[in-house]
Amino acid sequence: MKLLNKKNIFILFLLLVLALIVLNFQLKEQVSTISIMKTSDQLSVMLRSEIDKGKENALRNALFLAHNDSLISAMENNDEEQGYIILSSLMDSVKKHTHTPIPAQIITDDYLIFARSWDNAFAGMPIDEYRPDLQYFLKNKNPRSAIEVGRRLGIKATVPIYRNKKRFGFVEVLGFFESTTEYFRNMGVELYILMDARFYSVAIFMQENPFVGKDYIVANRHYNAEHLPDLEQIDFDTLRQQNVLAHNKKYFFYEPMTDGTGEDIGAFVMVMPERRLKLFTSKEDELSFMINFTRSELYEITRKQYGDISGYKSHYDKELLYLKDVVAPEDKALFLEEARERLAEYSKEELVGMILNYDIPRQVNGEIR
């Protein structure tokens, strides 16, 4: 009887140990899942922040160009050669002082290339077939900055060019995700910009780019070819549903990509090796270690989510006030006319708030998309 009791106690003890082992394993798995989802959220915040910065910078540069009196005069005189000289000179100056090449182009009101900063070989070429996004301006005067599909997928900030209320065309500043790709690479994460393959016939400058399965075309120029075989093997339906997928000792993080109208046009996929994820999640302060954001940058992200352009009805109105102190003398009259027209929609209290930089509660739908 005593032997039986000892045997029962031993079995009970063994079962308890096994239960503790199973429980410990489950807890580790749960912690791991939580860490992975937290990493996914952090990567999403980082990506959206970088894309928004790209859109805002492109819009800022396009606004400056759209108020250049010399460019407008060249368009008014239909002088494509002069337009090219002025535009390329301005962009060369930007590159000299910022060490960053910024491609820009001028499009006529009937959708012909008027001038491009990087060459003048295609002046006069129609582009309406490749730019359905320009139809937005048939009913809207406000500029916008968004990810768009053209002959190449990228960020396009488009600003209408006016003189005496007549629209002559548009100025566009372009971006192709180079800085965003490099930003993630510096943290050990590879970013892939994947365009939906249904735009193959439109994106003629991307037709030599590699496919990922049958659904996507790699759009960023400086992609890392190392992970392409893995991208071919993963199940994208599962990745879209779960946002995270583990494969071949790597983690794949998914973020949808939409254009200025909200249409789904592709995906952002970030690839992180398992060993890199363990390094990130082993830190006590995952967020500050992984993102390398300063407190002010984190605050800026939060502020933008809940009040991106407090007091303003659009980003364009906000940029107008920024431009008031830097507009060239010859452009003052045009600037004042545009400012009066835009700011007439605000109440006296709102205008005072904007000038003094205090917040006016308002539900805002911006033009950066």
Side-chain angles (χ1 to χ4, degrees):
M1 190 72 177
K2 290 182 179 179
L3 184 63
L4 184 61
N5 288 339
K6 286 182 179 180
K7 185 177 180 181
N8 288 341
I9 291 172
F10 176 76
I11 293 173
L12 184 63
F13 176 76
L14 184 62
L15 289 173
L16 181 61
V17 170
L18 288 173
L20 288 173
I21 291 173
V22 171
L23 180 62
N24 184 57
F25 177 77
Q26 289 176 338
L27 286 173
K28 284 185 177 180
E29 283 292 305
Q30 185 178 4
V31 170
S32 176
T33 301
I34 292 172
S35 297
I36 291 169
M37 296 313 298
K38 188 180 291 186
T39 299
S40 176
D41 291 342
Q42 292 168 357
L43 287 174
S44 178
V45 169
M46 294 161 61
L47 176 63
R48 292 301 167 187
S49 176
E50 286 299 299
I51 296 297
D52 285 347
K53 285 180 184 177
K55 292 177 182 179
E56 290 172 1
N57 289 335
L59 180 59
R60 186 174 294 109
N61 287 312
L63 283 164
F64 276 108
L65 291 173
H67 288 85
N68 185 283
D69 193 62
S70 299
L71 274 176
I72 299 173
S73 295
M75 294 192 76
E76 193 172 30
N77 297 324
N78 200 29
D79 192 339
E80 295 173 346
E81 184 64 29
Q82 184 65 15
Y84 167 69
I85 292 171
I86 296 168
L87 182 61
S88 59
S89 176
L90 289 170
M91 293 298 97
D92 285 345
S93 180
V94 170
K95 181 180 177 180
K96 177 181 177 181
H97 293 289
T98 66
H99 308 290
T100 303
I102 300 177
Q105 65 181 3
I106 307 294
I107 301 169
T108 66
D109 201 42
D110 51 353
Y111 310 134
L112 304 176
I113 292 177
F114 180 76
R116 299 194 303 188
S117 62
W118 59 96
D119 68 51
N120 202 30
F122 293 92
M125 187 182 80
I127 61 169
D128 53 323
E129 180 181 353
Y130 310 106
R131 296 298 306 279
D133 56 291
L134 290 174
Q135 300 298 311
Y136 164 86
F137 294 100
L138 293 176
K139 298 181 180 179
N140 297 275
K141 292 181 63 177
N142 288 350
R144 75 171 182 176
S145 189
I147 299 173
E148 301 289 356
V149 177
R151 289 180 294 175
R152 187 186 301 277
L153 181 140
I155 292 173
K156 294 183 178 71
T158 309
V159 180
I161 300 174
Y162 286 94
R163 173 176 281 177
N164 297 327
K165 297 186 178 182
K166 178 184 177 181
R167 192 176 73 188
F168 284 89
F170 313 91
V171 60
E172 287 193 328
V173 171
L174 314 174
F176 299 107
F177 308 107
E178 287 92 342
S179 62
T180 305
T181 303
E182 188 64 25
Y183 176 84
F184 280 96
R185 183 168 294 159
N186 288 337
M187 295 188 317
V189 180
E190 290 297 335
L191 173 67
Y192 294 86
I193 315 292
L194 304 180
M195 182 188 72
D196 195 305
R198 73 180 187 274
F199 298 111
Y200 176 84
S201 61
V202 174
I204 58 174
F205 289 162
M206 293 173 50
Q207 292 178 351
E208 299 300 320
N209 291 22
F211 273 73
V212 173
K214 296 180 180 180
D215 295 330
Y216 295 111
I217 301 171
V218 179
N220 45 333
R221 293 172 171 176
H222 305 302
Y223 64 88
N224 186 343
E226 176 186 353
H227 303 300
L228 289 182
D230 294 305
L231 287 170
E232 287 280 356
Q233 295 173 20
I234 64 173
D235 184 343
F236 266 87
D237 288 335
T238 303
L239 179 59
R240 277 190 290 266
Q241 292 171 7
Q242 298 181 355
N243 292 327
V244 183
L245 196 63
H247 172 76
N248 195 21
K249 295 185 177 181
K250 301 170 186 176
Y251 286 92
F252 297 79
F253 299 89
Y254 175 89
E255 190 74 17
M257 183 197 305
T258 57
D259 64 9
T261 65
E263 180 185 0
D264 190 348
I265 58 172
F268 300 98
V269 175
M270 292 158 282
V271 183
M272 180 186 293
E274 186 180 78
R275 63 184 182 278
R276 191 68 175 169
L277 180 68
K278 289 179 179 179
L279 175 64
F280 286 148
T281 55
S282 68
K283 300 296 178 180
E284 290 182 4
D285 188 358
E286 296 176 14
L287 191 60
S288 61
F289 173 76
M290 184 175 182
I291 303 183
N292 291 320
F293 280 161
T294 63
R295 288 182 181 273
S296 61
E297 286 176 311
L298 289 171
Y299 169 77
E300 184 68 11
I301 292 170
T302 305
R303 185 189 69 79
K304 284 183 178 180
Q305 183 176 357
Y306 296 105
D308 192 8
I309 47 173
S310 297
Y312 298 87
K313 294 180 180 179
S314 76
H315 286 273
Y316 183 47
D317 300 350
K318 183 177 181 180
E319 295 290 348
L320 272 177
L321 287 185
Y322 286 158
L323 286 168
K324 63 182 172 57
D325 296 322
V326 296
V327 174
E330 63 269 23
D331 295 330
K332 281 287 185 183
L334 179 64
F335 173 81
L336 289 174
E337 179 182 353
E338 180 72 4
R340 286 193 188 99
E341 181 177 345
R342 289 298 310 162
L343 301 181
E345 299 178 15
Y346 293 84
S347 69
K348 181 179 178 180
E349 181 185 357
E350 289 171 339
L351 290 171
V352 171
M354 289 155 59
I355 294 169
L356 297 179
N357 280 331
Y358 67 70
D359 288 346
I360 303 166
R362 180 198 296 277
Q363 181 66 35
V364 178
N365 294 312
E367 296 301 330
I368 293 184
R369 303 182 181 184

